[in-house]
Amino acid sequence: MSNALWNHTTTSDEVAEALSSHIRGKTILVTGISPDGLGLDFCRAIAPHTPALLILAARNPSKISESLSYLSNLFPSLPLKTLVIDLTSPSSVRAAAEEINTSVGKIDVLVNNAAMHAHTLTRGENGIETSFATNHLGHFLFTNLLLNKGGAMEGGGRVVNVTSNSFRKGGIIWDDPNFLKTPFGEGWGAYSQSKTANVLFTTALAEKFGSRKVYSYSLHPGLINTAMAKKMDMDDYATKFNVTLHWKSFAQGTATHVVAAFDPAIEPQNGGFLTDCQIKPITGDEAAWATGSENWERLWKLSEELVGEEFS
Ligand SMILES: NC(=O)c1ccc[n+]([C@@H]2O[C@H](COP(=O)([O-])OP(=O)(O)OC[C@H]3O[C@@H](n4cnc5c(N)ncnc54)[C@H](OP(=O)(O)O)[C@@H]3O)[C@@H](O)[C@H]2O)c1
């Protein structure tokens, strides 16, 4: 259990200060780095605590370079590396993993933060629906290539999968995950499917690789007015799902990233889901589709089939 005083108002700066000794000396890779995003704010919060290396991964070279300048201006002596990765492209994911596995000795913490919400049905290079390809499948392949024998996480480490409370709105569409016949609507079903996959992938990593010292956590950051949130019609979401919107600042949003990435106190809850800086077990009553070995094993097999490679 993490610090019981941390909650929805706690900031990433406060958590990073408290966990400073666990950030020091670590090599951390974060996907989905861009200005106005949570990935970059997470980096900003941990940067003062002397990580060995921060690797900024994104698909858009101009956004990487803007993010790099932002961090270098704030922290001139911060060791930084950039990585281009397009999660919808298996060849890009494999090239990125190869670059890390050959050029970086060890990754201590991998934060799979990148995501998108597809508002219309589109498919990636591999023919897979874009939100599933980006939010789950690209991260599934990238993570496993780092965990493989000879990879930068072969010896273990933390894998943080940033999900969303949207996993509560629907699970994997087992008979049609690629929307060949299911109506796509405004993409909420596809987004929920991909975010359920983030939760199940997290449990699977803990179950399969916990004995190799792999610790994995999924998290909901809260609602923050990032580039992605600006593109989503959150009022429509609130009406459709009958929820009240509680906005957080960026630093409140990334506080849970810092707990999931560094807090040793949550190690006994390997595979757990966090929100507002605390582990919050998902019950079958809330979202049965995001729990249980039947679901995570089925997703693992489906993901292996779709990437064309088995991982154990
Ligand atoms: N903001 C919220 O209220 C909220 C709520 C719940 C969960 N989340 C989760 O928080 C995480 C961060 O989201 P955010 O709100 O910070 O949004 P964001 O600023 O849009 O960040 C998402 C990042 O993912 C990247 N990305 C999209 N498609 C990609 C691809 N094919 N390959 C590689 N990178 C790709 C984006 O790159 P581009 O900039 O090039 O598009 C961007 O850097 C996501 O997992 C999201 O689901 C956010």
Side-chain angles (χ1 to χ4, degrees), residues 215-258:
Y215 292 90
S216 188
Y217 301 94
S218 60
L219 70 92
H220 169 60
L223 185 59
I224 305 98
N225 202 17
T226 60
M228 181 193 283
K230 284 184 182 126
K231 277 186 231 147
M232 293 164 126
D233 185 342
M234 294 314 301
D235 292 328
D236 175 54
Y237 177 84
T239 310
K240 197 173 277 184
F241 294 112
N242 193 23
V243 291
T244 310
L245 304 180
H246 298 288
W247 292 93
K248 280 183 175 181
S249 68
F250 274 65
Q252 289 168 341
T254 53
T256 309
H257 284 60
V258 183

Side-chain angles (χ1 to χ4, degrees), residues 31-40 57-60 63 85-89 112-116 130 133-135 139 161-166 191 195 198 219-232 234 247 250 257:
T31 68
I33 294 289
S34 48
D36 288 337
L38 298 180
L40 184 57
R59 63 175 168 176
N60 181 327
K63 289 188 183 179
I85 183 170
D86 179 349
L87 291 156
T88 63
S89 159
N112 289 324
N113 166 79
M116 55 87 68
T130 311
T134 306
N135 306 358
H139 284 133
N161 295 310
V162 181
T163 179
S164 152
N165 258 350
S166 293
Y191 187 68
K195 291 293 161 182
N198 294 154
L219 70 92
H220 169 60
L223 185 59
I224 305 98
N225 202 17
T226 60
M228 181 193 283
K230 284 184 182 126
K231 277 186 231 147
M232 293 164 126
M234 294 314 301
W247 292 93
F250 274 65
H257 284 60

Side-chain angles (χ1 to χ4, degrees), residues 38-88:
L38 298 180
L40 184 57
D41 191 73
F42 167 72
C43 294
R44 174 207 57 76
I46 63 172
H49 302 282
T50 54
L53 179 64
L54 269 183
I55 304 173
L56 314 177
R59 63 175 168 176
N60 181 327
S62 73
K63 289 188 183 179
I64 301 186
S65 103
E66 205 183 318
S67 305
L68 186 76
S69 306
Y70 166 79
L71 286 174
S72 314
N73 285 337
L74 282 177
F75 309 101
S77 58
L78 179 68
L80 289 166
K81 173 178 169 61
T82 60
L83 181 73
V84 176
I85 183 170
D86 179 349
L87 291 156
T88 63

